[in-house]
Amino acid sequence: MDNLKVHRVREGDFKPKILPEKRKVSIDLGEVIFGLFASGSSVRDVTKFADIK
């Protein structure tokens, strides 16, 4: 472990080869609510999930 060298990257251009890069996730709330109803969730459960008042 004493010979372990970690490269310092100051420009932020390091891209790991094993892990995928960060990806933004865009979730359409309407699709999620539809999916909850389709799976048998109650209106009360969907309201709690979506924080609808």
Side-chain angles (χ1 to χ4, degrees), residues 1-2 4-6 10 12 14 16-20 24-25 33-35 37 39 41-42 46 50 52:
M1 283 303 244
D2 295 332
L4 182 64
K5 294 182 181 180
V6 179
R10 295 188 179 160
F14 174 75
K17 294 178 182 178
I18 297 174
L19 301 173
K24 292 185 179 181
V25 177
I33 292 174
F34 181 77
F37 278 121
S39 68
S41 298
S42 68
V46 173
I52 300 170

Side-chain angles (χ1 to χ4, degrees), residues 8-28:
R8 298 180 77 189
V9 180
R10 295 188 179 160
E11 293 83 28
D13 59 352
F14 174 75
K15 293 189 173 49
K17 294 178 182 178
I18 297 174
L19 301 173
E21 293 184 38
K22 294 180 185 177
R23 289 181 277 171
K24 292 185 179 181
V25 177
S26 62
I27 300 173
D28 182 21

